[in-house]
Amino acid sequence: MLNNPKLEQINPISINLTGIRLLVIFSLLLESPKTAEEINEYFERNNYPKECFSVDTLRNDMNALRYAGCEITRADKTNDYKYKLLAHPFELDIDETEVLNLLKLYKKAYLFLNIPQLINLENLFNLLANYTKRESVSEELKGISLLKDIDKELLKTLLIAEKNKNIISFKYKSPTAGMLNYKFKLCYLNFRSEKLYINGYNLTYNKFSFLPAANIIPPISIHLEDTQLYTTEIRTVYELKNQAMKNFQEKFDEKIIETHSDKILVEYTAYDFFKLNQRILEYGPNCTVISPESVRNYTISTLKQMYEVYKND
Amino acid sequence: MTKFNNENTTIAAYRVFETLKFIIKQPAGVSDIQKYLESLNINEGKVYSKGVIYKYITTIKFAGIDVARNKCKYEVKNLPFKLPFSDEDYKTIILLEDIISQICEKNLTKSVKKLIYTLKMRSSISESKISELKKEYKPIKLDVPTEKQIKIIEKYEKFCNDKLKLSIDYQNIYGEKCKLKAEPIEVKFENNQIYLYLYCELTNDFIELNSNQIIKIIQMPTKCSTTQKQKLAHTTIFKLSDKLAKRYKPRNNEIITQADENIIITNKTEAKNKLLPRLLRYGTFCEVQSPKMERNKIKEMIAKTLSNYNISV
């Protein structure tokens, strides 16, 4: 453990002699269990400036270590008269608050990191989980990464396909329909509700769609051919007010087209009706769909159905 | 831990060991170490001079532990108990430091900084390799608060640290002015917005207010009465059906209590004013089951949204 302190050079005025002895004993026990004789021999060999210690002195040293948080067995017949270090206070000890704050930090930053950086973070958390002494903390550390359920080789292949906008085929475990085979032109990967999705054109159904990456069963095949896409864009305009207006931030698919003192008009370009409907509903009473008529009517009909559930309360 | 007994312990050596334990947890100045040693219950009023502390530090250094002085504080630079960090792991630690440097919620960064300190001292990577990795590292850019926002965050963090109840005037999602008495818990900076997470003892609710919703905050002379464990908001129970029931992954604070074709989810700690818009997003696939108060709230939200389309229910 220690970098061979030169015991013969000890100056007892500037250094605490018993302190050195304790640290050396601790380091010897870290290597392996030792008898009192073996510890004494080490000090003699290294010219420690004191006569050899009595068993009582060593026992006192062991007590000092125990009191400082080390767990050391008694040296008796059952263990060949060896002191054995079972635990010590310098083990990596991450507490619950630190993990919680690490999780919060991760959640604040993950959208700004690329996938390889997120994989590296997961690897680091797993390493710490293996070395930290608290079991509950270890489990929590392993649970931080949002990529934990996704095969890492598959992720690497998805990144290549995303970069080259390739067509890929894969088996997909659908929560509703079981195992399916999909052919998919991958446009981009992104996170939604803290889950990683692949977004693109589903050639099996000829429509734009998004799928959670965790449900893709590796391996995936990358096709070198390309295809013409026939996507249908849904351009929707809605009005936002109150908190929805104050908190609004433009995104690549959601832009302000008109600003008033009490409301804004926003145009949202969607390829997927489900996503569009969710976005509108989340704004709640602070959102009114202006156009197209089809989306407006669909929103009204959804709201009416939702109200039915509560109307008799 | 072993019970301390002055007569069977090498007491000065024990104090050297405790000094090492203390500076491993965080960088510490001489006075911090003095206070720490004086706080140990072995002392019975004993005071330690600066000279004694210097002697202990010299002893630790002599034992081969790399202790450096930085801004009047002693830091353990290199601990002999190593973790097998790879270059990528160390780069990830640099990444974490970069993230921390851009986050202004001090309560959050303080504990992660402490964790990083303990990790760095366990790294077996050489100084020259570390400077190489630092050169290779490409900084990331998170959303950084403006100076005005930093002042607000600092003010809110002070509220949280002071642990005094707050009286708040704010605008609810409908833009109506409301009043609230609540206990501050945490400040969050997300998507360029500042949020104050609160607990309202009167309604047993967690609530998260955007700083732009808050009109006025007054710190009251009453101490927060509930501890973190006592802050038990009433539970919201909601049912998800169809596709969503099969796809849904419970959040950190949620438990699935019944799972067949539909799932029943129990949510305890999510701020209600954030939870309800999220549940609205799930449209016809979601029903709030209890409490009654929340069923009424979601019913009201749907009705108000329908009124945007001149439909009264």
Side-chain angles (χ1 to χ4, degrees):
Chain A
M1 164 217 165
L2 303 178
N3 302 332
N4 296 325
K6 295 183 178 73
L7 298 179
E8 75 279 6
Q9 293 175 6
I10 286 179
N11 173 0
I13 296 166
S14 59
I15 281 173
N16 183 291
L17 213 52
T18 53
I20 282 284
R21 195 174 72 216
L22 201 69
L23 289 170
V24 171
I25 293 171
F26 175 69
S27 83
L28 290 173
L29 293 183
L30 266 181
E31 285 169 11
S32 60
K34 298 274 186 305
T35 61
E37 289 74 29
E38 284 168 333
I39 293 170
N40 256 322
E41 268 171 34
Y42 178 87
F43 282 106
E44 269 179 46
R45 241 192 356 261
N46 288 281
N47 300 323
Y48 184 75
K50 276 224 163 172
E51 293 168 10
C52 74
F53 321 110
S54 68
V55 175
D56 284 345
T57 309
L58 261 181
R59 206 176 285 138
N60 287 351
D61 287 343
M62 293 302 166
N63 283 340
L65 285 173
R66 286 188 187 112
Y67 192 70
C70 297
E71 211 178 302
I72 302 168
T73 61
R74 288 162 67 94
D76 57 26
K77 204 175 173 183
T78 57
N79 51 22
D80 297 332
Y81 299 97
K82 288 188 179 188
Y83 292 105
K84 188 177 177 186
L85 183 66
L86 300 175
H88 62 81
F90 303 131
E91 287 170 286
L92 184 64
D93 185 15
I94 302 173
D95 66 34
E96 309 275 344
T97 317
E98 283 169 333
V99 183
L100 184 68
N101 286 332
L102 209 52
L103 173 70
K104 285 180 186 167
L105 200 78
Y106 180 90
K107 293 219 168 150
K108 283 178 85 67
Y110 78 93
L111 288 174
F112 299 90
L113 305 180
N114 58 35
I115 301 288
Q117 284 169 324
L118 290 171
I119 295 175
N120 287 341
L121 272 171
E122 181 176 314
N123 291 341
L124 179 69
F125 296 154
N126 286 342
L127 176 82
L128 300 182
N130 290 338
Y131 282 88
T132 189
K133 62 183 199 182
R134 302 181 203 210
E135 218 166 284
S136 60
V137 165
S138 169
E139 287 308 308
E140 281 169 29
L141 276 166
K142 284 179 190 166
I144 293 178
S145 171
L146 295 177
L147 303 179
K148 60 180 179 292
D149 299 326
I150 306 172
D151 182 276
K152 301 302 171 294
E153 286 308 311
L154 173 118
L155 258 181
K156 284 176 193 163
T157 320
L158 285 175
L159 285 175
I160 296 168
E162 182 196 30
K163 191 178 167 196
N164 302 323
K165 304 280 177 275
N166 286 126
I167 292 172
I168 52 176
S169 9
F170 52 86
K171 279 191 190 308
Y172 177 77
K173 194 179 161 194
S174 160
T176 47
M179 205 64 82
L180 300 167
N181 289 309
Y182 278 154
K183 202 169 180 186
F184 200 91
K185 178 158 169 104
L186 182 57
C187 295
Y188 61 94
L189 300 167
N190 74 343
F191 281 97
R192 288 184 69 216
S193 304
E194 300 183 351
K195 278 190 270 186
L196 184 71
Y197 282 86
I198 63 165
N199 297 265
Y201 195 74
N202 191 330
L203 294 155
T204 312
Y205 296 132
N206 280 327
K207 66 170 191 176
F208 199 92
S209 68
F210 57 99
L211 303 166
N215 290 2
I216 298 173
I217 312 293
I220 57 174
S221 320
I222 296 185
H223 301 269
L224 295 175
E225 89 261 21
D226 204 352
T227 189
Q228 184 67 42
L229 302 183
Y230 300 98
T231 55
T232 37
E233 282 183 355
I234 315 162
R235 286 180 185 271
T236 304
V237 176
Y238 39 75
E239 178 190 295
L240 299 180
K241 57 186 179 185
N242 296 325
Q243 273 306 301
M245 177 180 86
K246 282 187 186 172
N247 297 348
F248 183 79
Q249 286 179 36
E250 285 199 323
K251 299 184 196 83
F252 74 97
D253 54 359
E254 204 177 19
K255 297 199 184 318
I256 297 175
I257 51 171
E258 246 181 75
T259 307
H260 302 267
S261 59
D262 58 344
K263 64 183 181 192
I264 50 172
L265 285 187
V266 171
E267 185 183 69
Y268 177 49
T269 310
Y271 297 96
D272 182 273
F273 207 76
F274 180 72
K275 238 183 190 177
L276 167 68
N277 198 38
Q278 281 204 337
R279 172 114 18 140
I280 292 167
L281 290 174
E282 191 168 14
Y283 286 127
N286 290 327
C287 175
T288 313
V289 178
I290 307 294
S291 68
E293 202 61 25
S294 59
V295 176
R296 193 178 153 92
N297 290 339
Y298 184 82
T299 306
I300 294 170
S301 129
T302 307
L303 286 163
K304 280 182 175 171
Q305 283 179 60
M306 287 163 73
Y307 191 81
E308 279 298 301
V309 177
Y310 304 99
K311 77 171 183 188
N312 294 325
D313 281 10
Chain B
M1 195 180 277
T2 307
K3 194 161 187 267
F4 192 80
N5 177 347
N6 233 335
E7 284 166 16
N8 67 5
T9 310
T10 343
I11 192 158
Y14 161 77
R15 285 195 296 258
V16 172
F17 205 81
E18 281 292 345
T19 305
L20 176 61
K21 264 173 69 181
F22 187 62
I23 58 171
I24 278 175
K25 280 187 196 150
Q26 68 277 299
V30 172
S31 62
D32 301 325
I33 301 170
Q34 281 172 317
K35 273 183 210 153
Y36 175 69
L37 292 180
E38 282 157 22
S39 74
L40 297 172
N41 59 5
I42 54 163
N43 275 296
E44 293 162 350
K46 191 166 179 185
V47 175
Y48 298 95
S49 66
K50 280 186 180 177
V52 169
I53 306 298
Y54 291 140
K55 190 170 180 174
Y56 291 172
I57 296 286
T58 316
T59 306
I60 293 167
K61 281 185 187 171
F62 191 84
I65 294 165
D66 189 1
V67 179
R69 199 154 178 244
N70 182 15
K71 293 178 189 162
C72 295
K73 294 203 171 197
Y74 290 103
E75 290 181 4
V76 176
K77 289 305 227 187
N78 208 340
L79 203 63
F81 327 102
K82 303 293 184 198
L83 288 176
F85 289 135
S86 64
D87 290 358
E88 286 304 322
D89 292 329
Y90 203 92
K91 258 194 208 172
T92 310
I93 293 176
I94 300 171
L95 170 75
L96 279 174
E97 283 185 305
D98 188 8
I99 294 169
I100 288 172
S101 70
Q102 296 179 55
I103 288 177
C104 55
E105 295 106 306
K106 290 194 186 78
N107 291 350
L108 169 61
T109 56
K110 201 174 153 190
S111 97
V112 184
K113 264 186 191 168
K114 208 170 127 187
L115 175 64
I116 288 178
Y117 168 72
T118 66
L119 295 184
K120 280 167 92 175
M121 71 174 76
R122 285 173 165 86
S123 156
S124 52
I125 294 173
S126 69
E127 283 298 321
S128 58
K129 187 70 198 173
I130 290 173
S131 30
E132 209 177 287
L133 293 174
K134 280 184 179 166
K135 269 183 205 163
E136 278 172 24
Y137 176 73
K138 288 182 187 143
I140 56 150
K141 198 170 179 324
L142 305 182
D143 282 342
V144 181
T146 60
E147 273 185 31
K148 194 179 161 195
Q149 284 177 317
I150 290 174
K151 279 184 187 156
I152 296 173
I153 291 169
E154 283 172 355
K155 184 173 138 192
Y156 288 0
E157 282 202 320
K158 189 177 177 302
F159 287 153
C160 296
N161 294 336
D162 287 349
K163 293 189 170 52
L164 292 174
K165 285 186 185 172
L166 302 173
S167 167
I168 304 171
D169 292 355
Y170 71 102
Q171 273 188 332
N172 68 10
I173 61 158
Y174 309 120
E176 300 159 347
K177 285 185 183 172
C178 302
K179 270 187 185 297
L180 171 79
K181 285 194 173 70
E183 301 183 1
I185 301 174
E186 194 181 8
V187 188
K188 296 176 186 175
F189 182 74
E190 285 169 5
N191 302 322
N192 282 319
Q193 309 278 338
I194 304 163
Y195 297 91
L196 182 57
Y197 185 57
L198 304 141
Y199 176 70
C200 178
E201 208 183 347
L202 195 68
T203 55
N204 273 357
D205 264 348
F206 288 102
I207 184 165
E208 198 170 287
L209 294 180
N210 189 315
S211 63
N212 66 21
Q213 276 179 274
I214 297 174
I215 303 163
K216 193 166 94 181
I217 300 191
I218 298 172
Q219 215 172 16
M220 304 201 299
T222 330
K223 278 198 171 181
C224 295
S225 54
T226 41
T227 65
Q228 194 61 36
K229 279 184 185 167
Q230 288 168 324
K231 287 185 176 77
L232 281 178
H234 60 253
T235 306
T236 304
I237 298 173
F238 58 95
K239 182 175 85 179
L240 295 179
S241 56
D242 211 326
K243 283 179 189 173
L244 205 59
K246 288 176 177 145
R247 282 182 193 163
Y248 191 78
K249 277 197 176 172
R251 310 254 165 139
N252 284 341
N253 50 18
E254 290 180 337
I255 304 165
I256 296 184
T257 50
Q258 184 195 323
D260 43 44
E261 279 190 356
N262 302 322
I263 55 173
I264 307 286
I265 295 151
T266 305
N267 184 309
K268 279 192 175 180
T269 53
E270 191 166 343
K272 301 298 178 210
N273 60 332
K274 262 191 130 178
L275 174 66
L276 295 185
R278 176 162 78 85
L279 299 186
L280 264 189
R281 188 176 82 194
Y282 302 147
T284 51
F285 300 120
C286 175
E287 178 189 345
V288 175
Q289 292 198 319
S290 70
K292 180 89 177 151
M293 188 173 63
E294 250 126 72
R295 267 183 83 87
N296 288 342
K297 275 187 193 166
I298 208 142
K299 184 180 172 187
E300 189 191 357
M301 285 168 92
I302 300 167
K304 287 209 173 180
T305 315
L306 276 168
S307 72
N308 290 344
Y309 302 94
N310 300 323
I311 295 168
S312 58
V313 282

